[in-house]
Amino acid sequence: MVALASAVVAAGTVTGMMSALDDGRGGDEARPDVSGTPFLQPLPHLPTSSSSTTSGSPSPSPSASASKGRPSPQPSGSASTKPRTVPVSARLYRHGDSQVLDWVRANPDDPRRPVIESRIADHPAAVWFADYTPSNITARVRAVTSAGAAKGGVPVVVPYAVPDRDCGGASQGGAPDLGAYEGWIEKFAAGLGTREVVVILEPDAIAQSDCLSEGERTARFDALARAGRVLKAANPKARVYFDAGHSDWNPPRKQAGLLRRAGAASAASSDGIFSNVSNFNRTDGEAAYVRQTLDALGGPASLGAVIDTSRNGNGAPADGEWCDPAGRKLGQAPTLRTGEARIDAYLWVKLPGESDGCRGTPGTFTPDYAYDLAR
């Protein structure tokens, strides 16, 4: 058994690495991306507090779930039509509203705090929008993107409201139908502003589409292609990435075929693909996988990939455990400068320390788990 790309584990609640609320709270802060040492170095063990109370935002974050293994990938050719483009800005934006920051502020004397603060809270991570709230989604997205622009950083935002998400599993929810979703994504796009922003479009929506009928799958893929076009038309500087699952899910050629149907090969809707969201696969394996997938996908040479490195420092557990597995560590720090061909960024899409549901309440920040990942 291997772990899926991501799945939010609390049905009927707002999902998010960081909650993007329109409550006017301050404290937004951009932090530069880390260069030099690509891995976070281990720290000495500190005593664990007897309290593991979770504080802060109730927004649960995505987590992995189990899936069967897939056959070996098959290579395919690629098409190159224009040179690669890269973001102008060199740093990612760290939003000031998150569960880990709430915990750090509320626990100044906790012995785990210095490690959690420096290794997790001080790093930029994605901001998820998973509740279907058309009335305020534009304002909530704008609050993040405008704050990022003011700080000179690039925000990472995750629209996660496609109907029938997670195939009716623990992460079920989203818009009531594709017509409603199209309206929601238009309102989402209206909040993107005019500066650079990275959009991780609907984790699981393509790789985890086997539960849909062929007609339903086609309709979803058409909606995703349209979503990409809407996002990029609203903000030409937005970089939109489509769901490629991860290297232990579909082989590159199969995933590329699904991605092509969803518009990921078109420069009008896509800047490339993302992989390993909420998963544990090592960066080098994911980099090889996304390059093979991009080769099979075709499209312009400008297409690249981003990889979630938030919890992959020790790779995936050998036994396939997906729920807060022991022995995992932080991976590469988030950066827009990877130095790797066709790899546009390493991102923390899943915020380390937000539980899959075994070490703590699903989707909530769990300090013992965060500390184990960070030390």
Side-chain angles (χ1 to χ4, degrees):
M1 302 290 285
V2 294
L4 291 185
S6 74
V8 186
V9 294
T13 55
V14 181
T15 307
M17 297 289 198
M18 296 185 172
S19 59
L21 305 177
D22 57 347
D23 59 2
R25 292 201 299 181
D28 295 345
E29 180 179 356
R31 296 297 178 103
D33 56 283
V34 176
S35 59
T37 306
F39 287 95
L40 299 171
Q41 301 302 313
L43 292 176
H45 177 72
L46 290 178
T48 300
S49 169
S50 58
S51 172
S52 59
T53 302
T54 303
S55 64
S57 170
S59 303
S61 68
S63 64
S65 60
S67 174
K68 293 182 179 179
R70 305 296 184 187
S72 300
Q74 301 177 17
S76 177
S78 63
S80 298
T81 60
K82 65 180 182 179
R84 294 280 294 125
T85 58
V86 296
V88 175
S89 178
R91 64 177 182 174
L92 291 160
Y93 166 66
R94 189 202 71 162
H95 193 48
D97 182 12
S98 71
Q99 294 187 71
V100 63
L101 285 170
D102 286 346
W103 183 87
V104 165
R105 293 163 184 151
N107 294 274
D109 299 323
D110 191 297
R112 298 162 296 182
R113 182 182 183 272
V115 171
I116 291 172
E117 182 176 23
S118 63
R119 295 299 179 89
I120 297 178
D122 281 354
H123 291 279
V127 184
W128 286 70
F129 301 84
D131 55 328
Y132 177 70
T133 53
S135 63
N136 67 7
I137 188 62
T138 300
R140 291 168 56 210
V141 174
R142 185 179 292 126
V144 175
T145 57
S146 61
K151 297 292 186 179
V154 179
V156 179
V157 295
V158 186
Y160 189 68
V162 74
D164 300 316
R165 69 185 185 202
D166 197 29
C167 291
S171 305
Q172 61 186 305
D177 55 54
L178 288 174
Y181 177 73
E182 290 180 356
W184 184 86
I185 206 71
E186 288 176 355
K187 293 178 182 294
F188 185 102
L192 290 178
T194 60
R195 302 287 293 273
E196 290 178 277
V197 57
V198 173
V199 182
I200 304 299
L201 180 62
E202 298 293 343
D204 296 340
I206 298 173
Q208 192 181 25
S209 60
D210 290 346
C211 63
L212 303 176
S213 70
E214 182 57 29
E216 290 169 337
R217 188 179 302 115
T218 297
R220 173 184 285 188
F221 290 170
D222 288 348
L224 291 173
R226 182 181 183 277
R229 293 192 300 269
V230 167
L231 293 164
K232 291 188 68 63
N235 180 357
K237 291 185 178 180
R239 298 184 62 84
V240 180
Y241 295 88
F242 283 68
D243 169 38
H246 60 73
S247 58
D248 287 329
W249 204 333
N250 293 322
R253 186 164 183 158
K254 176 179 179 180
Q255 189 63 32
L258 299 173
L259 284 157
R260 194 178 303 109
R261 291 176 59 187
S266 170
S269 57
S270 170
D271 291 278
I273 62 178
F274 63 84
S275 77
N276 210 43
V277 169
S278 294
N279 215 274
F280 308 92
N281 293 324
R282 290 187 183 276
T283 304
D284 55 355
E286 289 302 301
Y289 165 71
V290 294
R291 289 189 185 107
Q292 291 171 344
T293 303
L294 288 167
D295 285 346
L297 177 63
S302 59
L303 298 183
V306 299
I307 298 170
D308 187 350
T309 60
S310 58
R311 304 188 295 179
N312 72 345
N314 276 353
D319 62 1
E321 176 59 52
W322 61 268
C323 185
D324 301 335
R328 301 313 97 199
K329 297 297 178 185
L330 302 176
Q332 279 101 331
T335 182
L336 294 171
R337 292 178 172 175
T338 70
E340 295 290 335
R342 304 202 83 175
I343 310 301
D344 293 345
Y346 302 135
L347 302 176
W348 284 5
V349 184
K350 164 78 173 181
L351 187 65
E354 294 190 2
S355 175
D356 298 325
C358 292
R359 294 286 298 271
T361 303
T364 58
F365 181 75
T366 307
D368 284 341
Y369 178 40
Y371 183 70
D372 286 346
L373 288 168
R375 64 185 176 87

